[in-house]
Amino acid sequence: MAEEDAGEIIVAGWMDYEAADRDTMLGHLVEVGTRTRAEEPGCLDYAMTADPADNRRIRVYERWVSQQALDEHFTTAHIKDFREATTGLTRVGVSMDVFSVGAARSLR
């Protein structure tokens, strides 16, 4: 099965920013997340959260119906706006992985 046909995709990881830039970046991520969830039917979840134990870290969790939906996300106007708005913020580290979901079940 081709990767783009594998079904749901999860993006998970973290991004570190200079401590002075983290909350500004988080504000931009909240805005882009709101637009992403509202405007992109392929987005099942989109959450960026401040790590309470690290004043530089933002935790990332995204869930998409397919690789195609994720690829299309990067071509949207709100991502272009986001990239322009965050130019100049200093990212000092990143670790992000993409997972293809083979199966899922409810925990409860």
Side-chain angles (χ1 to χ4, degrees), residues 74-93:
F74 294 114
T75 69
T76 62
H78 50 272
I79 288 296
K80 181 181 182 229
D81 294 344
F82 167 77
R83 287 181 175 151
E84 289 174 5
T86 58
T87 298
L89 298 179
T90 305
R91 186 169 68 190
V92 295

Side-chain angles (χ1 to χ4, degrees), residues 16 20 40 42 52 54 57 62-63 65 67 87 91 93-96 98-99 108:
D16 284 349
E40 296 185 58
D54 186 336
R57 185 150 293 177
E62 303 175 28
R63 189 169 148 231
V65 297
Q67 181 63 49
T87 298
R91 186 169 68 190
V94 63
S95 176
M96 212 85 80
V98 177
F99 302 89
R108 304 212 183 265

Side-chain angles (χ1 to χ4, degrees), residues 12-71:
W14 54 264
M15 300 179 289
D16 284 349
Y17 282 83
E18 290 289 341
D21 289 342
R22 189 209 44 193
D23 289 345
T24 301
M25 174 54 88
L26 199 53
H28 289 297
L29 287 166
V30 168
E31 181 179 336
V32 80
T34 299
R35 289 186 64 186
T36 297
R37 287 187 302 273
E39 299 173 20
E40 296 185 58
C43 178
L44 300 171
D45 198 0
Y46 198 93
M48 310 297 168
T49 60
D51 187 318
D54 186 336
N55 67 350
R56 301 174 315 149
R57 185 150 293 177
I58 297 171
R59 297 281 174 185
V60 176
Y61 176 81
E62 303 175 28
R63 189 169 148 231
W64 298 88
V65 297
S66 66
Q67 181 63 49
Q68 180 180 346
L70 175 59
D71 292 344

